[in-house]
Amino acid sequence: MENEPPGDASEQADTPPPSRWRRARSGWTAFRRKHTKALIASVAVLALVVGACGYYLYSLNAKLDNIDRFSTDKLDDENRPDPNKGDAVNILLLGSDAGKKIAGESADTSLAEDVDAEEWPNGKYRSDTIMVVHISANRKHVYVVSIPRDTFTMIYDDNGEPTHKNKINAAFSAYGPVGTLSTVEHLTDVRLDHVAIIDWAGFKDLSTAVGGVPVTIPETFYDEKQDVTWKAGKYNLKGEKALQYVRTRHGLLRGDFDRIDRQQNFLRSLMTKVLEAGTLTKPRQFSDTLSAITDHLTVDMDWENGDLRGLALSLRGTKAEDVKFMTVPIAATPTIDKYGSIVELKEDQTAELFGLLRKGQMETYVKKYPDELLGDEDDID
């Protein structure tokens, strides 16, 4: 995805409050190298595309070994938000760009190598996609909540210590995945059970594997950044065109907010295509789809193959319409010195959202705020 620089992580906008929890530096080890084209619509998609028996289960078992993993064994559980009661699962999804050359760093090092290194390369990577995925205890519902990259909040480092206020995507740039995990957990007060790191450029692989993803462009517009004219009409996107669709921000009325809607719309359409268009009944296409996910996915080491397989099988009855997409409630988008345009959240409603998510009562939130859900496909710019 296209990324813009976050605020300077060294600037101190406010005196940080005392940390609610301290994190020992995590042992990000055994983090293998296959991340370059990391792709997954969400970990929920992995679960939803899994067949329950025969060839499909065999394929799943074989391909789960291809998933990259990293360790979080040194996290201090006592100083993190309380784990969820019951069997609900909360997952943090982070989108990462391919990285850029910075002084003192080899241009050839991968994200996997950099996370596993002694020191995170400050400024090399950016993450403009942050999603919290909540899978209900009864496995009948999945909720995907996007957090805008410009959300202004306290940034926590890779030791779980507060540093300064900044746009939330500065956490990944300055402190890597562990700093982002810490920052999101503090913002939401939700214990995140697992972490997945993705590269949205991998849409090219998955969209091609499923034979294209249908989307609708309601009105013609021009994206000057990518030099692409999107004419109104229906499309079946795959490869580079699919990547352009999810990267588009310029030319859209609401900029990054419309880009978030596009990403969510693409995921929704992808799941519908996989579940309802016969992908699971076509062995070769099924195998290609699983490869596009598992070959390019990185998860935490605690997420063992058996757990992934069990989650996938428990969700095999879930339908695309059971997955609800939304964005955290936005209060304003002011411009302030040093940081430019930022996103301020509706604090009370955000606390209500994540409070209900933590309790496993997201249906209550959706009933109260139906307009917060992603709109119909034909309404997505």
Side-chain angles (χ1 to χ4, degrees):
M1 290 189 59
E2 175 193 352
N3 292 273
E4 293 186 351
D8 182 357
S10 67
E11 294 175 339
Q12 303 294 314
D14 291 294
T15 301
S19 177
R20 289 189 291 108
W21 53 283
R22 296 175 60 88
R23 172 185 311 217
R25 176 177 287 278
S26 60
W28 294 72
T29 57
F31 191 108
R32 300 191 300 268
R33 291 202 55 178
K34 296 179 182 176
H35 184 76
T36 305
K37 293 182 180 178
L39 169 65
I40 185 171
S42 73
V43 176
V45 173
L46 170 63
L48 294 173
V49 301
V50 173
C53 59
Y55 169 83
Y56 303 109
L57 185 57
Y58 172 81
S59 296
L60 175 64
N61 290 336
K63 293 182 182 300
L64 286 178
D65 287 333
N66 293 330
I67 297 176
D68 295 333
R69 287 182 167 85
F70 54 87
S71 173
T72 58
D73 289 345
K74 295 182 180 180
L75 297 182
D76 185 354
D77 287 344
E78 292 184 358
N79 293 319
R80 297 176 67 189
D82 291 336
N84 295 325
K85 295 181 179 179
D87 297 320
V89 178
N90 293 322
I91 303 160
L92 176 63
L93 299 179
L94 301 175
S96 172
D97 63 8
K100 66 178 182 180
K101 171 65 176 176
I102 61 175
E105 290 286 334
S106 169
D108 297 329
T109 56
S110 66
L111 175 63
E113 292 173 314
D114 288 328
V115 172
D116 199 31
E118 183 175 345
E119 184 176 351
W120 174 259
N122 188 339
K124 182 176 181 179
Y125 298 96
R126 299 191 182 104
S127 175
D128 283 352
T129 301
I130 303 171
M131 295 180 176
V132 174
V133 177
H134 174 79
I135 302 175
S136 66
N138 62 12
R139 300 299 185 264
K140 293 183 178 180
H141 302 282
V142 178
Y143 299 91
V144 182
V145 184
S146 290
I147 302 174
R149 64 177 188 174
D150 292 337
T151 299
F152 200 65
T153 189
M154 179 60 64
I155 302 299
Y156 289 78
D157 64 18
D158 50 3
N159 289 306
E161 295 294 336
T163 60
H164 65 294
K165 281 192 172 182
N166 204 335
K167 297 177 181 182
I168 196 169
N169 67 344
F172 193 86
S173 179
Y175 304 114
V178 68
T180 307
L181 173 61
S182 175
T183 298
V184 174
E185 284 193 337
H186 278 88
L187 174 67
T188 63
D189 196 26
V190 170
R191 175 66 170 263
L192 299 166
D193 303 295
H194 297 292
V195 182
I197 305 174
I198 61 178
D199 183 344
W200 291 97
F203 270 124
K204 292 188 293 186
D205 293 347
L206 188 52
S207 62
T208 300
V210 302
V213 177
V215 301
T216 298
I217 304 296
E219 297 182 2
T220 299
F221 73 95
Y222 175 64
D223 176 2
E224 67 274 15
K225 185 70 173 181
Q226 300 187 90
D227 191 23
V228 176
T229 297
W230 293 92
K231 294 184 178 181
K234 295 184 180 297
Y235 293 77
N236 187 55
L237 301 179
K238 56 183 176 181
E240 185 65 28
K241 203 66 175 179
L243 179 59
Q244 289 175 337
Y245 177 83
V246 297
R247 291 179 66 184
T248 297
R249 177 172 64 89
H250 294 268
L252 300 175
L253 181 63
R254 300 187 307 141
D256 193 52
F257 296 117
D258 282 335
R259 177 166 59 176
I260 289 173
D261 285 353
R262 278 187 159 221
Q263 292 171 1
Q264 294 181 348
N265 184 55
F266 190 94
L267 302 186
R268 180 174 59 186
S269 184
L270 171 63
M271 286 187 290
T272 300
K273 175 71 175 287
V274 169
L275 295 172
E276 299 177 2
T279 299
L280 299 182
T281 66
K282 301 174 182 178
R284 178 58 184 272
Q285 193 172 35
F286 176 85
S287 180
D288 290 346
T289 301
L290 269 184
S291 293
I293 296 172
T294 59
D295 286 356
H296 308 302
L297 171 68
T298 301
V299 301
D300 59 274
M301 191 169 290
D302 290 337
W303 214 348
E304 298 178 351
N305 285 358
D307 296 329
L308 271 169
R309 183 172 59 250
L311 178 62
L313 295 177
S314 72
L315 279 165
R316 63 187 181 274
T318 305
K319 300 178 181 179
E321 58 264 30
D322 297 324
V323 183
K324 306 298 184 184
F325 294 87
M326 68 194 76
T327 300
V328 289
I330 307 303
T333 56
T335 298
I336 61 176
D337 293 341
K338 296 184 181 180
Y339 303 102
S341 177
I342 66 167
V343 171
E344 294 180 345
L345 305 183
K346 294 180 180 177
E347 293 185 4
D348 291 345
Q349 188 176 337
T350 298
E352 184 179 7
L353 163 62
F354 288 113
L356 291 170
L357 185 149
R358 187 169 54 251
K359 296 175 183 177
Q361 299 175 6
M362 282 296 291
E363 289 186 33
T364 300
Y365 183 85
V366 169
K367 289 179 180 179
K368 184 175 180 180
Y369 302 102
D371 292 341
E372 297 291 333
L373 293 177
L374 180 68
D376 294 335
E377 176 187 352
D378 292 343
D379 296 331
I380 305 300
D381 291 333

